[in-house]
């Protein structure tokens, strides 16, 4: 007669066998005293094991309430989101070329603090260096233009000063004739360089007034915009214009609200022909502009007008444009373009690196 | 799901703490990790919470042990001593007050292979054969065999320490 193997008795006593197997074993046990003895021995072994292991126990404590764990779980989610927002900030740089932002105030995560000096930004500089070199390598040659560009240097400057009273506060201004200074070659920033004129025909903006000329390309931003020359815009702004060093400028637009500093948009053209725009203005206005552009990105962060509390503008997908924004104090810089976020990010990082090295 | 998790928490928290304690040998740490496991369960909402909880607990404990080994290795290298073997036994820097009995059981437990030890501890924590099989990758039919061997070895090792006489090797 076949006896029950020990392993099976262990499993039987552990209730690890199927009903059928149990029935078989029980019927055998009923008839086999040898197996009964084995079973008893194994039962004792099991009990001894349990007793021995029971000594390996910490002092019993009262478990914390489940509610407290729920709270911890909620905090963990919030902390994770906060970390992601911080990463978005760190990653989403905005160009401040020409504005002389000091490096230590570049990053402004929620809650203050600055990690402009952090290892992340340093690592990023190396990455962007190659990216922008690639972009620059493909710059188009100088195109004819009667306009001479202003000196496109980026001297060290303190934070931008308050708007001049001479500036027109009205929103409704006629669109002036367009002048397109360019900066085809960043290495020789001579004011007498020949400028490149290239006008891009982009989609018409729904909100622009009928004053627009067909060539104006401020369409992506609502509100009313004045297109200006480089000199004009610079004079009006009273400070250097935000732009990417080395790319031809195709348009400059300025928008004034009552009593505030103007928001400026500098459109530049890449070698591929795509246009990118650098936006600079008060945090409230720029963030509003960007927020209105974002439509379907469910992950985009809600922007608040109050710059003192502020967080990420995030990389909003505006089909197919992307934008990156950075807040510095109560100002905000953004760059938008029909490029993948990675390209924009790389460009921004490179510019940021250049800017910080000044 | 939350009610299910809460019920599981109430019924298994102690077992999870004990399970972790037998790996990290630090009561406070075991409690922290056990709570961490349930906090994560609240976020992940696993389909099979019981098995998930012990699997995560085992992972957390393993990560702790690795970190501890790295620390020990770092220290021993500095001191010029040979690298300490990572074992289940508590290291000297743990302020564990354990009596002799606990120590001898620990020693006996250490004579098991890591796999056998794990399966024995999972069983002692209250997991069923299918749950143990799922977590360890063992076939359900092999769980009984492993437990039989593990139990036998534990008891024999413990008895050997105390009685000083070897037991019949026919059982192993």
């Amino acid at each position: 007669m076949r006896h029950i193997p020990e392993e099976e008795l262990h499993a039987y006593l552990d209730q690890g066998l199927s009903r059928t197997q149990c029935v078989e074993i029980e019927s055998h046990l009923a008839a086999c005293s040898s197996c009964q003895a084995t079973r008893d021995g194994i039962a004792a072994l099991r009990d001894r094991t349990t007793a021995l292991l029971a000594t390996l126990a910490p002092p019993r404590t009262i478990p914390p309430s489940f509610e407290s764990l729920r709270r911890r779980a909620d905090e963990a989610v919030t902390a994770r989101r906060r970390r992601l927002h911080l990463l978005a900030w760190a990653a989403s740089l905005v160009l401040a070329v020409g504005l002389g932002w000091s490096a230590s105030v570049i990053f402004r995560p929620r809650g203050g603090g600055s990690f402009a000096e952090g290892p992340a930004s340093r690592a990023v500089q190396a990455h962007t260096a190659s990216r922008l070199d690639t972009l620059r390598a493909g710059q188009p040659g100088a195109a004819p233009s009667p306009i001479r560009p202003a000196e496109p240097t980026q001297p060290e400057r303190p934070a931008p000063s308050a708007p001049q009273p001479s500036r027109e506060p009205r929103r409704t201004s006629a669109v002036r004739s367009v002048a397109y200074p360019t900066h085809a070659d960043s290495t020789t920033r001579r004011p007498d360089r020949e400028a490149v004129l290239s006008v891009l025909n982009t989609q018409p903006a729904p909100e622009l007034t009928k004053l627009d000329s067909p060539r104006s390309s401020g369409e992506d931003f609502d509100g009313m915009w004045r297109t200006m020359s480089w000199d004009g815009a610079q004079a009006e702004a009273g400070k250097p214009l935000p732009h990417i060093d080395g790319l031809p400028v195709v348009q400059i637009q300025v928008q004034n609200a009552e009593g505030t500093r103007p928001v400026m948009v500098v459109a530049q053209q890449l070698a591929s022909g795509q246009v990118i725009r650098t936006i600079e203005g008060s945090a409230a206005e720029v963030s509003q502009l960007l927020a209105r552009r974002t439509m379907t990105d469910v992950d985009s962060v809600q922007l608040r007008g109050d710059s003192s509390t502020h967080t990420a503008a995030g990389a909003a997908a505006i089909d197919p444009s992307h934008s990156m924004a950075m807040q510095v104090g109560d100002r905000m810089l953004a760059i938008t373009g029909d490029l993948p976020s990675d390209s924009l990010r790389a460009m921004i990082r490179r510019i940021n690196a250049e800017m910080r090295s000044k | 799901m939350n009610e299910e998790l809460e019920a599981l928490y109430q019924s298994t928290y102690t077992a999870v703490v004990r399970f972790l304690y037998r790996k990290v040998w630090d009561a406070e740490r075991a409690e922290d990790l056990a709570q961490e496991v349930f906090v994560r369960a609240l976020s992940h909402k696993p389909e099979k919470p019981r098995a998930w909880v012990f699997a995560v607990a085992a992972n957390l404990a393993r990560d702790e042990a690795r970190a501890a080994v790295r620390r020990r290795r770092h220290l021993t290298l500095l001191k010029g001593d040979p690298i300490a073997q990572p074992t289940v036994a508590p290291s000297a820097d743990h302020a564990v007050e354990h009596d002799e009995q606990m120590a001898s059981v620990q020693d006996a437990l250490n004579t098991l292979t890591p796999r056998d030890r794990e399966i024995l501890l999972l069983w002692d924590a209250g997991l069923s054969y299918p749950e143990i099989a799922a977590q360890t990758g063992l076939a359900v039919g092999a769980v009984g065999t492993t437990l039989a061997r593990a139990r036998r070895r534990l008891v024999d090792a413990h008895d050997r320490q105390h009685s000083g006489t070897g037991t019949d090797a026919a059982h192993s």
Side-chain angles (χ1 to χ4, degrees):
Chain A
M1 174 163 67
R2 168 196 168 273
H3 291 292
I4 308 171
E6 282 196 15
E7 302 83 51
E8 259 185 60
L9 286 171
H10 277 267
Y12 168 69
L13 293 172
D14 291 341
Q15 292 173 342
L17 292 182
S18 69
R19 189 83 207 103
T20 319
Q21 290 167 303
C22 287
V23 167
E24 273 183 36
I25 287 177
E26 278 154 12
S27 64
H28 175 93
L29 280 176
C32 175
S33 57
S34 165
C35 284
Q36 282 173 20
T38 313
R39 181 210 48 203
D40 293 343
I42 288 172
L45 180 62
R46 284 177 81 251
D47 292 342
R48 280 219 61 207
T49 304
T50 304
L52 287 177
L53 288 177
T55 65
L56 301 180
R60 275 194 82 113
T61 57
I62 303 168
S65 75
F66 194 65
E67 189 51 43
S68 67
L69 293 189
R70 239 196 284 262
R71 267 182 268 125
R72 265 175 67 175
D74 291 341
E75 281 168 19
V77 169
T78 313
R80 212 176 296 134
R81 276 207 207 108
R82 211 177 286 134
R83 265 198 299 276
L84 284 177
H85 290 175
L86 288 179
L87 282 178
W89 269 119
S92 62
L93 301 187
V94 178
L95 298 195
V97 173
L99 291 179
W101 302 102
S102 70
S104 63
V105 297
I106 289 175
F107 291 97
R108 217 228 189 194
R110 193 207 309 237
S114 140
F115 35 80
E117 316 297 326
S121 48
R122 279 196 288 276
V124 149
Q125 291 174 29
H127 176 64
T128 41
S130 51
R131 228 23 245 225
L132 195 63
D133 287 340
T134 314
L135 285 171
R136 284 187 182 171
Q139 287 310 311
S145 160
I147 312 299
R148 293 182 170 266
E151 176 61 49
T153 54
Q154 293 86 40
E156 286 288 322
R157 265 171 224 229
S161 52
Q164 304 307 315
S166 60
R167 188 175 304 112
E168 300 173 20
R170 298 167 292 138
R171 282 181 152 266
T172 57
S173 308
V175 172
R176 305 193 199 152
S177 61
V178 180
Y180 301 107
T182 61
H183 312 275
D185 180 4
S186 66
T187 57
T188 56
R189 302 179 187 150
R190 300 177 335 251
D192 54 352
R193 235 188 314 124
E194 293 289 36
V196 176
L197 172 65
S198 53
V199 180
L200 290 174
N201 185 18
T202 45
Q203 324 90 0
E207 299 102 335
L208 279 185
T209 69
K210 9 325 169 201
L211 302 172
D212 294 331
S213 76
R215 289 188 304 174
S216 89
S217 53
E219 47 295 271
D220 291 324
F221 305 105
D222 67 6
M224 288 176 253
W225 291 87
R226 290 174 292 138
T227 304
M228 309 187 67
S229 69
W230 181 268
D231 291 341
Q234 184 126 4
E236 184 140 327
K239 59 182 192 264
L241 297 174
H243 70 290
I244 298 175
D245 203 19
L247 295 178
V249 174
V250 300
Q251 189 183 45
I252 300 171
Q253 292 165 288
V254 178
Q255 181 182 70
N256 292 100
E258 293 283 338
T260 65
R261 285 175 279 184
V263 179
M264 299 209 286
V265 178
V266 177
Q268 290 177 279
Q269 186 182 25
L270 301 177
S272 60
Q274 286 168 333
V275 175
I276 57 170
R277 289 185 176 77
T278 310
I279 312 159
E280 196 274 337
S282 73
E285 295 190 5
V286 176
S287 59
Q288 272 175 13
L289 280 178
L290 293 174
R292 285 192 212 115
R293 291 177 56 127
T294 75
M295 290 188 291
T296 57
D297 186 350
V298 295
D299 290 333
S300 68
V301 179
Q302 279 307 313
L303 300 176
R304 282 183 233 138
D306 178 10
S307 59
S308 63
T309 58
H310 220 41
T311 42
I318 309 159
D319 53 342
S321 255
H322 292 79
S323 59
M324 298 267 169
M326 174 177 83
Q327 181 166 346
V328 185
D330 65 349
R331 307 293 293 172
M332 186 178 282
L333 293 166
I335 180 171
T336 75
D338 185 0
L339 287 176
S341 315
D342 291 340
S343 307
L344 278 182
R345 197 174 286 129
M347 289 168 58
I348 291 166
R349 286 170 176 164
R350 172 59 173 168
I351 308 308
N352 181 53
E354 280 188 344
M355 185 197 68
R356 290 179 58 202
S357 66
K358 293 189 172 63
Chain B
M1 159 53 83
N2 262 353
E3 299 79 39
E4 193 188 335
L5 271 180
E6 180 159 7
L8 182 72
Y9 175 69
Q10 303 297 352
S11 63
T12 62
Y13 175 77
T14 306
V16 176
V17 171
R18 214 168 50 211
F19 178 74
L20 285 164
Y21 178 76
R22 290 156 183 184
K23 292 176 181 291
V24 301
W25 298 113
D26 181 328
E28 214 177 295
R29 200 72 199 113
E31 298 236 19
D32 287 346
L33 290 176
Q35 287 161 33
E36 177 63 26
V37 169
F38 283 98
V39 167
R40 290 188 189 193
L42 280 164
S43 305
H44 282 78
K45 304 183 179 29
E47 292 222 345
K48 295 189 173 150
R50 218 154 81 106
W52 190 92
V53 159
F54 282 97
V56 170
N59 289 340
L60 289 180
R62 187 192 56 219
D63 294 345
E64 289 257 318
R66 283 183 184 157
V69 167
R70 279 198 294 274
R71 281 195 299 272
R72 262 204 299 276
R73 188 175 294 146
H74 185 65
L75 287 173
T76 56
L77 283 175
L78 290 176
K79 289 191 294 187
D81 292 334
I83 293 174
Q85 272 298 324
T87 63
V88 179
S91 61
D93 51 271
H94 284 305
V96 175
E97 76 255 329
H98 53 270
D99 50 13
E100 263 188 31
Q101 190 187 22
M102 197 191 265
S104 70
V105 177
Q106 267 174 329
D107 291 343
L109 195 57
N110 282 342
T111 66
L112 270 58
T113 66
R115 191 194 195 111
D116 286 1
R117 190 160 59 227
E118 181 76 1
I119 287 165
L120 185 62
L121 291 179
L122 284 172
W123 167 255
D124 196 63
L127 292 189
S128 67
Y129 271 39
E131 284 169 339
I132 294 173
Q135 180 162 333
T136 60
L138 211 61
V140 176
V143 177
T145 314
T146 308
L147 282 175
R149 181 176 60 239
R151 286 166 175 152
R152 186 66 65 186
R153 195 158 289 174
L154 178 77
V155 171
D156 283 354
H158 184 264
D159 289 347
R160 247 200 315 273
Q161 290 174 39
H162 285 251
S163 68
T165 61
T167 50
D168 191 348
H171 289 297
S172 26

